[in-house]
Amino acid sequence: MTIKSAVMACLFATLSASFGVVAAPTMEELLAASKPSDWRSVDPQNTLYMELATGRVVIELAPEFAPRHTAAVRDLVRAKYFDGLVINRVQDNFVVQWGDPEGKKSLRPKALAGEFMVAATGVPFIALPESDVYAPQTGFASGLPAARDRPDGKVWLTHCYGMVGVARDDDANSGDGTRIYVVIGHAPRQLDRNVTMLGRVLKGMELLSVLPRGAGARGYHESSDQWTPIREIRVAADLPLELRTHLEVLRTDTEMFASLVESRRNRPDVWFKARAGRIDVCNIPIPVRATRPE
Amino acid sequence: MTIKSAVMACLFATLSASFGVVAAPTMEELLAASKPSDWRSVDPQNTLYMELATGRVVIELAPEFAPRHTAAVRDLVRAKYFDGLVINRVQDNFVVQWGDPEGKKSLRPKALAGEFMVAATGVPFIALPESDVYAPQTGFASGLPAARDRPDGKVWLTHCYGMVGVARDDDANSGDGTRIYVVIGHAPRQLDRNVTMLGRVLKGMELLSVLPRGAGARGYHESSDQWTPIREIRVAADLPLELRTHLEVLRTDTEMFASLVESRRNRPDVWFKARAGRIDVCNIPIPVRATRPE
């Protein structure tokens, strides 16, 4: 938070507490007033499209946090590994997960050393002032929700709604990128620092979150006719421009974003009678917008 | 937490930290070893059945927190007010909500004074030792996730997944029980102390959480053919025994529950490499079990 935005936040809080007067802008008003430089483009080399019968899920990869896993998953995608595979796990209030439950694919990529955390030194980290239940500090890094222990310790991505991770077996280094999950419920923060996070769903969460829940243990479907087929997964860069989904993501290292966080911390809408005054990192939206019609 | 469970928790944490040795039981093991007295029955007068084409959603009311609203909603149910109405709002990662968007019902119940909080004095409160982002203290009251400011201050129910609330207009006292919502996403704790909480969904969340999201503002469906019809809502006590869903809920004021919380705080499963050591009140399951087959 810059001095200016801190002063603004303090002023709003004081006004609000003293007089019940709220002049702060809503998130919608802030976004409407945003400048082009408040937004960032998305690297098509780091963007995956998962095509379902119901539409496209757009995933942004986070190579800064998982260079080996994002590269391996990109390789799998380019080998068309996921084409014709299925979403075979949908656990209510937890995750959807896809993979190759029938062992159809002959490709057996090698397991990767876990990339659960990275060294915090030198990683730009936009820290929230709030305490957090699970971590000494939370905030944003590389535009994603993150946590760290100390500025010279470790930083890791947090399991907020829409975050994407690589499933693994009991061995920390057993993940190979062939099974991938997306958080569809209350942030399962107990998973933080236990799995390699791949990135975040930018668009199409509602195609995943509505899938029928699996009746088996841990949300696995009990029969294959309940699986959701994946037509294909592609790297955006490999598609012609006209077939891509053109998106921009709000930057998290700007005064605009600090104002957005403050607007969510103390919701200015007249509907709110008790303003929270605080916010959980997983309750802060990171807006995404289309830059041209599809 | 009793002295015994605190000592046990400390012992497990010490063992776990020092040697990587984990002997603590999993939640499943704890539940398998539970005694009948660890469970409580559910008052059929405080239980609602919402019947959808896909099945039954069971809601337990919380009259301790909202005596006026739970009584008013029970009256609406007994007047068959909700029969033939619809779920007309499904906002991804937020809520589903039902009501009478077409104004079909002639009954216009009067607005009720908000019941956002109750006096904490005398309310048994099982406090978690953890800090919380949104409240000075969180824990459980009347078997539900709750928060309070001080032991002699106020206590309120928290907006965890599956919690049920009464929608209102901007006026704090404008809710009348005709529009009801259920949390289907990451806990929107900013709503705490702003709405009257009615209770919790005990069974059938997966019937609500899979509903197609509304494409309109705030998740409202844009046309009536996207609404989900409600066949009827009934008070369990008004149905013959053989048509009821017989459930028990794990008590939250027992050593068993304290052990369950500890088991979720430091997950003993070998899969976990970094144990959280802490837990968010909305990540603690409150188990429900069937006492006879349906």
Side-chain angles (χ1 to χ4, degrees), chain B residues 27-76:
Chain B
M27 181 172 75
E28 292 69 27
E29 289 164 344
L30 284 166
L31 293 178
S34 66
K35 303 186 298 285
S37 59
D38 290 322
W39 301 81
R40 64 179 176 84
S41 58
V42 182
D43 182 351
Q45 293 288 350
N46 284 326
T47 308
L48 302 183
Y49 297 149
M50 178 164 66
E51 307 289 354
L52 304 176
T54 51
R56 173 179 285 179
V57 178
V58 181
I59 296 170
E60 183 179 23
L61 299 174
E64 302 87 344
F65 286 88
R68 288 187 296 276
H69 282 73
T70 52
V73 167
R74 199 188 291 108
D75 287 348
L76 285 170

Side-chain angles (χ1 to χ4, degrees), chain B:
Chain B
M1 195 180 268
T2 63
I3 291 174
K4 186 182 158 195
S5 64
V7 168
M8 293 284 278
C10 175
L11 190 64
F12 287 141
T14 307
L15 277 172
S16 168
S18 308
F19 308 107
V21 172
V22 176
T26 65
M27 181 172 75
E28 292 69 27
E29 289 164 344
L30 284 166
L31 293 178
S34 66
K35 303 186 298 285
S37 59
D38 290 322
W39 301 81
R40 64 179 176 84
S41 58
V42 182
D43 182 351
Q45 293 288 350
N46 284 326
T47 308
L48 302 183
Y49 297 149
M50 178 164 66
E51 307 289 354
L52 304 176
T54 51
R56 173 179 285 179
V57 178
V58 181
I59 296 170
E60 183 179 23
L61 299 174
E64 302 87 344
F65 286 88
R68 288 187 296 276
H69 282 73
T70 52
V73 167
R74 199 188 291 108
D75 287 348
L76 285 170
V77 167
R78 287 193 161 136
K80 301 190 167 28
Y81 177 82
F82 295 101
D83 300 11
L85 294 186
V86 292
I87 297 173
N88 63 318
R89 179 186 188 191
V90 187
Q91 186 170 352
D92 197 53
N93 192 26
F94 193 48
V95 298
V96 299
Q97 185 175 307
W98 58 91
D100 182 14
E102 291 182 309
K104 287 167 69 172
K105 300 282 175 165
S106 54
L107 185 59
R108 293 275 182 277
K110 68 177 198 297
L112 298 165
E115 298 175 291
F116 304 165
M117 298 175 273
V118 298
T121 307
V123 174
F125 190 90
I126 313 298
L128 294 171
E130 277 86 355
S131 67
D132 178 79
V133 175
Y134 290 94
Q137 199 165 47
T138 54
F140 298 87
S142 299
L144 292 166
R148 67 179 178 183
D149 44 9
R150 308 180 305 277
D152 62 346
K154 297 289 186 184
V155 56
W156 58 91
L157 298 178
T158 48
H159 274 82
C160 300
Y161 191 86
M163 292 294 286
V164 184
V166 175
R168 64 163 173 81
D169 297 325
D170 285 345
D171 184 330
N173 303 317
S174 59
D176 60 8
T178 60
R179 289 175 296 152
I180 295 174
Y181 66 88
V182 177
V183 174
I184 60 160
H186 186 73
R189 297 281 307 279
Q190 71 278 6
L191 300 181
D192 289 0
R193 301 177 298 144
N194 278 291
V195 278
T196 301
M197 305 301 291
L198 263 195
R200 182 171 86 102
V201 173
L202 297 184
K203 188 170 190 292
M205 269 307 293
E206 72 284 1
L207 306 180
L208 301 176
S209 57
V210 301
L211 293 175
R213 277 43 180 163
R218 299 165 59 221
Y220 284 97
H221 289 297
E222 290 180 325
S223 79
S224 58
D225 60 6
Q226 296 167 314
W227 294 343
T228 298
I230 297 169
R231 286 186 182 168
E232 59 179 37
I233 301 186
R234 291 289 177 271
V235 177
D238 298 346
L239 266 65
L241 273 177
E242 66 272 19
L243 294 182
R244 297 185 197 168
T245 301
H246 299 272
L247 301 175
E248 285 183 334
V249 181
L250 197 72
R251 293 175 58 151
T252 55
D253 58 350
T254 57
E255 284 197 34
M256 162 60 64
F257 192 74
S259 299
L260 180 151
V261 172
E262 178 51 28
S263 177
R264 302 303 280 187
R265 185 183 279 126
N266 289 296
R267 295 282 286 268
D269 323 57
V270 66
W271 185 90
F272 282 88
K273 306 309 170 191
R275 293 189 169 78
R278 304 173 62 74
I279 196 158
D280 168 7
V281 65
C282 289
N283 263 329
I284 298 173
I286 306 174
V288 175
R289 68 178 182 186
T291 55
R292 60 173 95 170
E294 284 181 69

Side-chain angles (χ1 to χ4, degrees), chain A residues 164-179:
Chain A
V164 184
V166 174
R168 63 164 172 83
D169 297 325
D170 284 346
D171 184 330
N173 303 316
S174 60
D176 60 7
T178 60
R179 289 175 296 154

